[in-house]
Amino acid sequence: MKKHNYASFFYLFVILTIAFACSTNKDAFLNRTYHSTTARYNGYFNANELINQSVNSFRSSYKEDYYNLIPIERNPNKEEVEALLPSLDTAISKCKKVIQNHSMPSIRRSYKKVEYNSWIDENFITIGVASYLKRDFETAQKNFKYISKFYANDPSNYIGTVWEAKIDIESGLYTEAGFKLKEMDQVIRDQKNREKSKPKKKLFKKKKRGGNNEPAKFPKRLYVELEKTKAELALRKKDFKTSIKHLEKAIEYCKKRKNKSRLHFVIAQLSEQTGKKNKAQQN
C-alpha cells in the first residue's frame, strides 16, 4: 500500500509540475525552459527543416542555363513555388501554433511589453522567410516589421531588416532596399567602434549590477546574407563591378563549398561581361 501511495504521489507531483510549467503568464525558470524548448524544436527547428528540405530539393532538381547569367540565389518563381506550398504552409502553421500557445506572456494580449520566451522571435522570422519563398511578400513584410517593433534590441531585428531589403528588391523598391542595407552597414561600423573603444577587462573586477544597454551584436552568420543582398541590389541596377565586390565578400564569410562555387560562377559571368577575362577564368 505504501509503495502504491508513493507512486501515486510521484505521478501527481509530475502532473502538477507539468501543469505549472504550462502557464505562459509566469516568468519562472521552469516555465521559460518548457516554452522555450517547445518553441525551439516544435516550431523553429522542425519548420526550418521542412523549408530547407523543400528548397534544397527544388534547387538540386533545377536545370540551370549556364550560358546565361544565373541568379545569385535560385528561388522558385510563381509557377514553380506551387510544388513547395505544402511544405511551406506546414512550416508556417507549426510556427503560428507555437507563437499562439507558447508566447510568454500570451500573444493574445492586445498590448505586449515583454517576451520571456527567447525563441518566439525566431518563429516570426521563419514565418517571414517561408512567406517570402511563397512570394507572399505582404505577409513576410508584416512578420519582419513585427520583429523590428518588438525586438529592436535583439539580433533578430537585423535579420528582419535584411529580409525586408530582399522584399524591397523583389518589389523594385531599390532606394528603400539601399537605405536598409546602409543602416546595417552603420550597425556593423558602430559595433566595431565600440569593441575598439572598450577598455581591457581587469581580473577580479567587480561586476556592476543592472542590465546591459548596448545594442545587440550583428550576428556573424548574417554577413553572407547581407553581402549577397547587396550584390543582388547592385546586379538589378546593372552595376556589375559593385555586385562582384559584394560577392567576393560573401565568399569570405561563406562556409559551404557548394554555395561558394555558385558565387564564384556568378563572379566569373559578371567579370566576363565587364571585360575581365582573366578574372573570369580564375573564378
Side-chain angles (χ1 to χ4, degrees), residues 118-137:
S118 58
W119 285 89
I120 291 295
D121 51 334
E122 278 82 0
N123 279 273
F124 273 111
I125 289 287
T126 303
I127 293 172
V129 172
S131 300
Y132 172 88
L133 292 168
K134 284 178 64 177
R135 303 189 68 80
D136 181 3
F137 298 137

Side-chain angles (χ1 to χ4, degrees), residues 70-123:
I70 64 170
I72 293 169
E73 204 162 52
R74 172 60 66 190
N75 288 326
N77 59 32
K78 287 181 180 180
E79 291 74 29
E80 293 162 345
V81 79
E82 292 292 329
L84 280 70
L85 288 181
S87 296
L88 296 175
D89 286 336
T90 302
I92 290 170
S93 178
K94 282 180 179 293
C95 291
K96 280 184 176 179
K97 189 175 180 180
V98 158
I99 291 167
Q100 194 72 19
N101 295 334
H102 300 283
S103 177
M104 297 177 65
S106 174
I107 198 77
R108 296 179 184 90
R109 293 186 178 187
S110 58
Y111 183 68
K112 192 170 172 63
K113 283 185 178 180
V114 66
E115 176 58 70
Y116 297 121
N117 188 333
S118 58
W119 285 89
I120 291 295
D121 51 334
E122 278 82 0
N123 279 273

Side-chain angles (χ1 to χ4, degrees), residues 30-44:
L30 191 62
N31 300 69
R32 290 197 307 272
T33 303
Y34 171 73
H35 290 291
S36 293
T37 303
T38 306
R40 181 178 183 180
Y41 293 104
N42 286 14
Y44 174 77

Side-chain angles (χ1 to χ4, degrees), residues 133-147:
L133 292 168
K134 284 178 64 177
R135 303 189 68 80
D136 181 3
F137 298 137
E138 187 178 349
T139 301
Q141 190 92 322
K142 282 179 182 177
N143 280 272
F144 296 134
K145 283 191 179 299
Y146 182 89
I147 291 293

Side-chain angles (χ1 to χ4, degrees), residues 4 8 12 16 103 106 149 152 163 175-176 179 181 194 224:
H4 178 72
S8 298
L12 181 62
L16 290 173
S103 177
S106 174
K149 185 176 181 181
W163 279 93
T175 303
E176 286 85 344
F179 283 138
L181 296 173
R194 283 196 304 273
V224 177

